[in-house]
Amino acid sequence: MDEPASGWIIGGARILTGLLWLANLHWKVPPAFGEDSGGGLYKYSESVTRNSPLAPFTWVTEELILPNFRFFGWVTLVVELLLAMLLLVGYRTRIVALVGAAWSVPILLSVIYYDRADEWSWSYFMMIGLHLVLFATDAGRHLGIDGVLARNGDAARRSLAIVGSVAIAVGVLGLIVARSVSFAGSEAALLGSDAGFANPDGDIVRRWELKFLFFNPLWALLTILFGALLVIGARSARTVAVALAGATGFGVLAIVVFVTQTFDYLRDDGQVQVISTASNAALWGALALAGVLLARRSSTVAVPASEG
């Protein structure tokens, strides 16, 4: 396989892994994380006390995790948000990949013994293996920030324009799906899939969930605006300040929605589901990080080699 093709595959696998973490943030809902209802993240941790055959893991769960579950929930949310954010843009990828592999182990041990679960246990072994492949291939050097930072300012400006264009495209899609919700506020529409299979009574019995992001028109327009600033700022070293303004906007947006903690997801069937804001915070945080790093790199001017 030639290097350009392999680079696209490796970089694509890293982005796909980032999306995997991002798509599983919405159901980790703070501040209780399911402890008050017996659902969400709590149900998987609690099931370890009944079903896990590994005594040390059971002891850790019973004595450390469950008595301090809300703290554990916040740690889980922040770690997985950072995994999604950093893998999407490919920054410090080798370290992040090792963290992702290690973090996947307790997930495997918690989920495969959950009551009534129909999980395919091999998927979690593959998840661990995928992170190890990202580590071994230094996947951030392919379509990622790690690779761009090792090159010159022109490459950084091109990458900055691409990041801004992706943000604009996501914002436009968000604006399209957000037509059914109010302009601003806690209501949000899904950018992704929530399709399912219905039984003879019309009830959804199994959903095919790809819940990536949630938008109202205001958040979509801000995503388009800040993305446009990244594109404008990528034009030359003199316009870097514009790109930094866009990156700052994404950073503020990420912090605001993360502090908000929850959205009211308005589903197609008219029901409202309370979901975590972390998936949006991860994306906007990734765009902020990429914007800052690429803008700073693009402002550097190559020094011509001296003659003789």
Side-chain angles (χ1 to χ4, degrees), residues 98-110:
L98 287 179
V99 173
W103 196 255
S104 300
V105 174
I107 297 176
L108 165 68
L109 296 176
S110 299

Side-chain angles (χ1 to χ4, degrees), residues 151-165:
R151 300 166 65 188
N152 58 30
D154 290 337
R157 280 190 288 275
R158 289 193 297 270
S159 299
L160 186 59
I162 292 172
V163 170
S165 299

Side-chain angles (χ1 to χ4, degrees), residues 68-147:
N68 306 285
F69 186 74
R70 297 196 179 195
F71 172 76
F72 167 76
W74 278 110
V75 170
T76 299
L77 189 67
V78 171
V79 169
E80 295 186 10
L81 184 156
L82 291 174
L83 286 170
M85 186 177 85
L86 295 172
L87 286 172
L88 283 173
V89 297
Y91 184 61
R92 304 292 187 189
T93 307
R94 300 195 77 185
I95 296 174
V96 176
L98 287 179
V99 173
W103 196 255
S104 300
V105 174
I107 297 176
L108 165 68
L109 296 176
S110 299
V111 171
I112 62 174
Y113 293 108
Y114 171 61
D115 313 65
R116 302 181 306 280
D118 53 357
E119 304 281 351
W120 185 45
S121 58
W122 276 105
S123 62
Y124 296 93
F125 288 108
M126 293 171 66
M127 186 173 167
I128 295 169
L130 177 58
H131 284 87
L132 294 178
V133 170
L134 297 182
F135 167 78
T137 57
D138 200 359
R141 290 188 171 272
H142 306 279
L143 308 181
I145 300 296
D146 290 338

Side-chain angles (χ1 to χ4, degrees), residues 82-275:
L82 291 174
L83 286 170
M85 186 177 85
L86 295 172
L87 286 172
L88 283 173
V89 297
Y91 184 61
R92 304 292 187 189
T93 307
R94 300 195 77 185
I95 296 174
V96 176
L98 287 179
V99 173
W103 196 255
S104 300
V105 174
I107 297 176
L108 165 68
L109 296 176
S110 299
V111 171
I112 62 174
Y113 293 108
Y114 171 61
D115 313 65
R116 302 181 306 280
D118 53 357
E119 304 281 351
W120 185 45
S121 58
W122 276 105
S123 62
Y124 296 93
F125 288 108
M126 293 171 66
M127 186 173 167
I128 295 169
L130 177 58
H131 284 87
L132 294 178
V133 170
L134 297 182
F135 167 78
T137 57
D138 200 359
R141 290 188 171 272
H142 306 279
L143 308 181
I145 300 296
D146 290 338
V148 176
L149 294 181
R151 300 166 65 188
N152 58 30
D154 290 337
R157 280 190 288 275
R158 289 193 297 270
S159 299
L160 186 59
I162 292 172
V163 170
S165 299
V166 169
I168 292 171
V170 170
V172 170
L173 292 174
L175 193 59
I176 293 172
V177 301
R179 292 173 298 173
S180 60
V181 299
S182 57
F183 182 78
S186 62
E187 280 190 357
L190 170 66
L191 178 56
S193 172
D194 196 12
F197 302 99
N199 61 20
D201 296 327
D203 298 323
I204 299 295
V205 295
R206 178 67 184 266
R207 290 188 176 276
W208 187 63
E209 293 187 342
L210 288 174
K211 294 180 179 176
F212 292 121
L213 300 166
F214 301 85
F215 282 100
N216 62 28
L218 175 61
W219 299 328
L221 289 172
L222 288 175
T223 302
I224 295 170
L225 171 62
F226 298 145
L229 292 179
L230 295 184
V231 173
I232 294 170
R235 296 180 62 183
S236 70
R238 298 184 183 88
T239 57
V240 166
V242 178
L244 288 173
T248 301
F250 278 126
V252 171
L253 200 54
I255 293 170
V256 168
V257 297
F258 185 73
V259 171
T260 303
Q261 298 187 12
T262 60
F263 294 144
D264 293 327
Y265 161 42
L266 186 62
R267 289 174 22 180
D268 291 339
D269 57 9
Q271 297 184 31
V272 175
Q273 178 183 356
V274 177
I275 48 93

